[in-house]
Amino acid sequence: MEKRLAVCNLCEAVCGLVLTIEEGQVTGVRGNPDDPLSRGHICPKGVAIGDIHADADRLRRPVRRDRTTGEWTEIGWDEAFDLVADGIATAINEHGKDALAIYLGNPNVHSLGAMTHGGPLVQSFRTRNKFSATSVDQLPHQLIGHLLYGHQLLLPVPDIDRTSYFLVFGANPMASNGSLMTVPDFPARLRELDARGGRMVVFDPRRTETARVASEHHFIRPGTDAWVLLAMLNVLFAEGLTTPPPYVDGLAEVERMVSDFTPAAAERASGVPAEVVAQVAREFAAAETAAAYGRIGVSTQEFGLVCQWAVQLLNLVTGNTDRVGGALLTFPAIDAVGRGLIGRGHFDRHRSRVRQAPEFAGELPVAVLREEIETPGDGQVRALLTLAGNPVLSTPDGAALDRAVEGLDFYAAVDFYINETTRRADVILPPTSHLERDHYDLVFHLLAVRDTARFTPAVFPKGRDQRHDWEIFREINVRVTRRLRHKPSLRRRLKKSARLGLSPTFIIATLLRTGRSGVTITQLRKHPEGVDIGPLRPGQLPDRLFTKDKRIQAAPAIVVGDLARVRGQDLPDEDELLLIGRRHQRDCNSWMHNTDRLTKGRPRHQLLMHPDDLAARGLTDGSLVTVTSRVGSVKVDVQATADMMRGVVSLPHGYGHQRTGVRLGVADKVAGASINDLTDPERLDASGNAALSGVRVTVG
Ligand SMILES: Nc1nc2c(c(=O)[nH]1)N[C@H]1C(S)=C(S)[C@@H](COP(=O)(O)OP(=O)(O)OC[C@H]3O[C@@H](n4cnc5c(=O)[nH]c(N)nc54)[C@H](O)[C@@H]3O)O[C@H]1N2
Ligand SMILES: Nc1nc2c(c(=O)[nH]1)N[C@H]1C(S)=C(S)[C@@H](COP(=O)(O)OP(=O)(O)OC[C@H]3O[C@@H](n4cnc5c(=O)[nH]c(N)nc54)[C@H](O)[C@@H]3O)O[C@H]1N2
Ligand code: SF4
Ligand SMILES: [Mo]
């Protein structure tokens, strides 16, 4: 029996783990109490990390699908790489570089190798048809970071450990463990907030796990948060409660912009009483320290961009940005933002071919992927490469995307499961598992509530016939380039292959050595539990701004322009139903449904609905109902609960695995429907993010 320190990088909380290993198997998993960030925290998914590693259904070797019989066969790596390179190069040679579409799913940000090697691979194809989970997630945050602070990932993090007032819109960290706020051990941090007399106030259309433990929870009609947030800014200006720092410009314009968004108007749109809107704004301003935070519920909606702007503005105008207990910038040992490893972002440099949707940082909104595959003409997508991800379950109108993907000339996936999307692939290349790779978190140290650093060497050696994701990326690059008719210049090729030739761990060691933090790889190897750098530091602004003049322009034109759309919002009638999503602690987006540990127990796939809404339609709790939107229709069990706001129903995302027809192990126990068979790809916010929340549906 052996004890090994490890990391759980399944979600953004990146908890430190202590594994028990017996005969090459994980037989026990605990949270590591010595980890300076996660402090012993663990959730059920962390406990299941060994199950994924041991899962017999997890692919270890490449597989190829016969298009006529649909049968999968294991093949060797050499053959697999040739197939992938042939398929991709043929599409590019015959139809041009935009004929290849690439989709990067969420798990890429959780893999060191994908972070160091994914970018160079994707850039090497120079396709405009680049997509990722960003545009069904946090694109509004990134565009606002870019517009206000000059960098898409220069995002202040709520200082939850020291704040006295935590204002939360559209997030459920009790289930999600935080996002764009790496906050392992959220429950304990919240208890500490309570103990020091602090408060957490939550706005959510569902009484969530987080709402239950909040000091106050207010129901809010989906998609109407902009009204409430703008009215809070209105109150702050109207009552002279603003104390902005000197490096912010354009506040007179902001004051004008929000002047007609009164608490009364907010009440009409959102259902939140006007007194509550005004009261919360006053309390926020009066609190010794306060931090506003808005996540998925207020980014994957029609006014995601306005909401994320308003959340930043609440912190800024009350002087809470860059101060202890407010929202602070991190100072990670490898400052991927400061050192330019992650670009600043750019917006609308080009547009999608069919719908003319704007790019952000070189990516197009994934909601346009289907039409780019199906619409004939120059630049039509003929081949697809997905790197970790499942867009058929995770992007709007997944059923239509599924049909489009089926019609492609060629599709290759880098993934270790056959999922609802990769089942359409011609070839799947499986990378090593989470426990077989070294890990240093290039992304989540940037977004963590405390500055720490941790390097975790692989727990298990990779098998003889296995490849890391970065090795797969490197080989794809080499073999595709060899086959291209129009090759990049020799200089570019050499640069690319030099970059892809370095191992991720070597890159990390070099970045540490050349950084200013003083943390070295030797020190991190000696302290696998992690090294504490300390609480987040105030007083970093305006120095760390990426804006040209080191000032913040508080009223970006695109936000100003979008307020007209807010004013004209088509609000739902009394008897209409709006659909929202949810997450459960034991889910991980669309995957990890292949372990018994995470799928046993009570079913959790149901449509949640207020008992009055059920009664009004003559429906009964527990029955099978049909949910219909403009886009599609699904059948699912309904569960009555007064935790839902009236007029709002909720489905989890990442469900509906039974559609596949391929064996998904125990996944068929996780019945239910995919919420994204109902969501609408025509609904985007101003940044191009899919408005997944607040979809009009009928239930019968
Ligand atoms: N309606 C609705 N839709 C949503 C959301 C919502 O709240 N509501 N949430 C959105 C959000 S926030 C996100 S991030 C997206 C997620 O959407 P996606 O990124 O498209 O989907 P995931 O389920 O995260 O991807 C899981 C796949 O990645 C594979 N995988 C896991 N780890 C690795 C790895 O290390 N390497 C490789 N190569 N593959 C790996 C798994 O085997 C699995 O097949 O969904 C979005 N969709
Ligand atoms: N257990 C678990 N943890 C996860 C994930 C997972 O799938 N499972 N996924 C990870 C990923 S990729 C991400 S991005 C994060 C997301 O992290 P969170 O944003 O915390 O995720 P959710 O739990 O979906 O919380 C969104 C909340 O918004 C509410 N909501 C929906 N519409 C609206 C609206 O219009 N207005 C308001 N105010 N609220 C609304 C929903 O009811 C829900 O409670 O979680 C990460 N962690
Ligand atoms: S909260 Fe759970 S899934 Fe997230 S890192 Fe920690 S143990 Fe892993
Ligand atoms: Mo996400």
Side-chain angles (χ1 to χ4, degrees):
M1 196 175 82
E2 189 198 348
K3 296 272 180 206
R4 284 289 293 273
L5 296 194
V7 58
C8 175
N9 45 3
L10 294 168
C11 92
E12 298 178 37
V14 290
C15 297
L17 303 178
V18 184
L19 305 184
T20 309
I21 315 248
E22 289 172 276
E23 293 167 16
Q25 294 293 326
V26 178
T27 54
V29 187
R30 283 194 299 115
N32 181 7
D34 298 328
D35 185 298
L37 182 62
S38 67
R39 313 183 306 190
H41 181 69
I42 187 167
C43 85
K45 292 193 297 296
V47 179
I49 198 164
D51 303 2
I52 302 167
H53 178 72
D55 186 354
D57 289 333
R58 182 172 62 81
L59 301 176
R60 270 92 168 158
R61 305 237 165 355
V63 287
R64 164 185 204 167
R65 185 173 62 99
D66 182 318
R67 282 207 175 199
T68 30
T69 62
E71 301 250 318
W72 291 98
T73 331
E74 251 188 32
I75 55 175
W77 282 98
D78 192 50
E79 181 185 353
F81 282 126
D82 273 342
L83 280 170
V84 172
D86 281 341
I88 292 178
T90 303
I92 298 175
N93 286 337
E94 286 178 11
H95 304 285
K97 58 184 172 41
D98 295 335
L100 172 69
I102 303 178
Y103 173 82
L104 289 109
N106 167 274
N108 285 295
V109 287
H110 297 284
S111 160
L112 173 60
M115 285 312 296
T116 53
H117 288 61
L121 173 72
V122 171
Q123 284 155 20
S124 74
F125 294 124
R126 291 182 303 135
T127 172
R128 283 191 171 187
N129 285 310
K130 190 182 142 194
F131 305 90
S132 83
T134 291
S135 53
V136 279
D137 187 348
Q138 80 285 354
L139 180 51
H141 296 256
Q142 288 178 227
L143 180 51
I144 287 301
H146 171 75
L147 293 170
L148 291 181
Y149 311 123
H151 194 293
Q152 56 174 329
L153 279 183
L154 194 69
L155 297 171
V157 178
D159 188 11
I160 187 163
D161 289 342
R162 292 176 290 180
T163 195
S164 48
Y165 196 95
F166 187 36
L167 176 59
V168 178
F169 277 83
N172 186 11
M174 286 296 282
S176 70
N177 298 294
S179 180
L180 298 182
M181 170 176 68
T182 284
V183 58
D185 205 8
F186 181 79
R189 292 178 199 269
L190 193 60
R191 283 196 297 276
E192 291 162 15
L193 171 80
D194 267 343
R196 47 176 200 271
R199 292 162 58 70
M200 175 172 77
V201 177
V202 174
F203 287 80
D204 199 301
R206 180 167 78 92
R207 189 180 299 116
T208 61
E209 295 78 356
T210 305
R212 280 175 197 283
V213 293
S215 326
E216 267 174 51
H217 164 235
H218 302 286
F219 283 120
I220 183 165
R221 199 171 285 140
T224 64
D225 303 79
W227 293 88
V228 172
L229 288 159
L230 294 169
M232 287 179 176
L233 288 170
N234 172 313
V235 170
L236 296 177
F237 282 105
E239 299 184 7
L241 302 176
T242 58
T243 49
Y247 48 81
V248 185
D249 294 323
L251 288 173
E253 164 109 40
V254 173
E255 184 170 0
R256 252 192 326 273
M257 281 160 72
V258 301
S259 59
D260 56 336
F261 286 94
T262 58
E267 173 170 339
R268 274 194 303 279
S270 69
V272 180
E275 320 71 88
V276 169
V277 177
Q279 187 63 24
V280 171
R282 289 178 196 128
E283 284 172 9
F284 190 82
E288 200 183 321
T289 57
Y293 169 69
R295 205 37 202 104
I296 274 276
V298 282
S299 51
T300 57
Q301 57 145 288
E302 227 179 320
F303 301 109
L305 190 72
V306 175
C307 289
Q308 294 307 336
W309 170 82
V311 167
Q312 296 300 324
L313 262 284
L314 279 178
N315 289 330
L316 266 175
V317 301
T318 53
N320 278 299
T321 302
D322 196 31
R323 91 162 177 201
V324 169
L328 291 164
L329 293 175
T330 57
F331 208 77
I334 297 178
D335 181 9
V337 165
R339 297 182 66 180
L341 308 176
I342 301 173
R344 297 161 48 174
H346 44 76
F347 184 62
D348 206 9
R349 283 198 185 157
H350 59 260
R351 296 196 172 181
S352 68
R353 180 180 61 109
V354 179
R355 200 193 300 188
Q356 300 294 306
E359 63 79 39
F360 179 75
E363 275 186 44
L364 292 170
V366 69
V368 313
L369 174 56
R370 181 207 56 79
E371 70 211 27
E372 293 298 333
I373 297 175
E374 290 190 331
T375 313
D378 250 9
Q380 181 184 2
V381 169
R382 316 282 181 140
L384 175 66
L385 175 64
T386 61
L387 308 179
N390 192 0
V392 166
L393 286 198
S394 52
T395 71
D397 200 0
L401 179 63
D402 187 20
R403 291 190 292 273
V405 169
E406 198 180 1
L408 284 165
D409 293 349
F410 180 74
Y411 169 23
V414 179
D415 202 305
F416 40 55
Y417 280 106
I418 298 174
N419 68 27
E420 291 69 18
T421 312
T422 61
R423 71 178 168 134
R424 301 286 186 209
D426 294 285
V427 193
I428 305 179
L429 306 173
T432 45
S433 87
H434 293 76
L435 297 180
E436 292 163 331
R437 354 166 150 146
D438 296 351
H439 190 67
Y440 178 93
D441 223 298
L442 275 173
V443 174
F444 297 110
H445 286 313
L446 276 174
L447 298 163
V449 298
R450 189 177 178 92
D451 286 327
T452 62
R454 181 185 50 210
F455 176 78
T456 313
V459 173
F460 298 119
K462 79 172 175 174
R464 237 183 329 115
D465 202 18
Q466 286 191 282
R467 299 282 189 284
H468 292 304
D469 43 12
W470 60 275
E471 294 172 316
I472 295 174
F473 297 170
R474 186 179 59 188
E475 196 58 29
I476 293 178
N477 176 259
V478 168
R479 295 206 194 190
V480 171
T481 308
R482 215 180 276 158
R483 287 165 171 80
L484 286 183
R485 198 172 299 145
H486 303 291
K487 291 193 188 15
S489 69
L490 183 65
R491 202 176 63 89
R492 269 182 85 118
R493 286 200 319 259
L494 287 175
K495 220 171 117 191
K496 194 71 55 186
S497 64
R499 175 78 201 276
L500 287 166
L502 303 172
S503 80
T505 304
F506 178 82
I507 294 174
I508 291 302
T510 310
L511 287 170
L512 285 168
R513 199 177 53 241
T514 55
R516 288 180 301 163
S517 69
V519 176
T520 62
I521 192 82
T522 319
Q523 186 187 6
L524 293 184
R525 283 194 188 274
K526 230 190 267 163
H527 294 282
E529 73 282 8
V531 169
D532 193 19
I533 301 174
L536 301 184
R537 291 179 234 174
Q540 313 251 357
L541 292 180
D543 267 16
R544 287 184 62 196
L545 290 176
F546 273 74
T547 51
K548 282 199 194 77
D549 51 2
K550 296 271 178 204
R551 298 187 66 79
I552 294 173
Q553 168 46 252
I558 173 173
V559 178
V560 180
D562 210 29
L563 293 200
R565 238 170 31 95
V566 179
R567 290 186 187 95
Q569 185 177 8
D570 177 16
L571 293 163
D573 294 333
E574 278 288 288
D575 59 344
E576 280 188 301
L577 293 173
L578 299 181
L579 174 68
I580 63 168
R582 68 174 184 273
R583 286 178 157 74
H584 188 280
Q585 209 194 23
R586 291 193 291 152
D587 293 329
C588 193
N589 294 326
S590 77
W591 69 296
M592 292 193 66
H593 282 152
N594 213 44
T595 83
D596 270 320
R597 200 189 300 269
L598 295 176
T599 49
K600 67 185 176 205
R602 274 187 297 168
R604 50 179 197 266
H605 62 274
Q606 296 95 329
L607 181 80
L608 303 183
M609 190 166 179
H610 192 280
D612 294 351
D613 286 330
L614 272 172
R617 287 159 186 79
L619 299 169
T620 48
D621 185 16
S623 60
L624 191 69
V625 296
T626 305
V627 191
T628 306
S629 72
R630 183 191 78 82
V631 160
S633 187
V634 302
K635 282 194 169 19
V636 66
D637 305 313
V638 68
Q639 185 180 336
T641 166
D643 287 342
M644 292 307 300
M645 184 180 188
R646 283 207 54 182
V648 187
V649 291
S650 158
L651 273 178
H653 83 285
Y655 281 63
H657 301 295
Q658 67 274 41
R659 73 198 300 154
T660 54
V662 294
R663 200 179 105 72
L664 276 161
V666 292
D668 47 281
K669 282 206 296 193
V670 194
S674 171
I675 186 174
N676 286 320
D677 287 347
L678 298 166
T679 53
D680 189 338
E682 296 296 323
R683 297 179 79 232
L684 302 181
D685 88 322
S687 72
N689 206 74
L692 303 167
S693 204
V695 175
R696 278 185 163 78
V697 291
T698 56
V699 178

